[in-house]
Amino acid sequence: MPPIRTLAEMEECNPATVQKALKILEKQGLIVIRGSKGYFVTESEKKIIELRNQHLNVGCGLLVPVFQERGVMCHYLLHA
């Protein structure tokens, strides 16, 4: 990954904001820090799939009630 200052410039934000975001990604296991070499995206396909599924479950949990309010039954969503 690019250095923190480069990421901050790219996103037009404070380097401290980038640092906080990287710490969150590190806690989630999406990136790893390798000493003075910097941050790297995890090579763990299992971890990436796990986090993707967590985010999908949250998203589905928010969408299903909205569909139900509009009369769409869950079994239609599963077989669409």
Side-chain angles (χ1 to χ4, degrees):
M1 294 181 62
I4 291 172
R5 287 186 188 178
T6 304
L7 288 171
E9 289 171 6
M10 290 168 54
E11 297 302 320
E12 299 179 1
C13 67
N14 190 307
T17 303
V18 173
Q19 183 73 31
K20 288 178 187 176
L22 291 173
K23 288 291 182 193
I24 291 169
L25 293 172
E26 186 180 17
K27 284 182 182 179
Q28 291 179 337
L30 285 174
I31 63 173
V32 294
I33 188 166
R34 294 192 181 143
S36 61
K37 293 183 179 185
Y39 291 92
F40 294 84
V41 177
T42 185
E43 295 179 14
S44 171
E45 186 175 341
K46 180 181 176 183
K47 185 64 176 176
I48 293 169
I49 290 170
E50 177 186 312
L51 287 168
R52 182 184 308 143
N53 288 339
Q54 286 176 5
H55 287 284
L56 285 172
N57 287 337
V58 169
C60 288
L62 297 172
L63 286 175
V64 168
V66 173
F67 284 124
Q68 288 175 332
E69 283 178 8
R70 289 170 172 76
V72 178
M73 305 306 271
C74 287
H75 65 278
Y76 291 121
L77 296 174
L78 295 173
H79 300 289

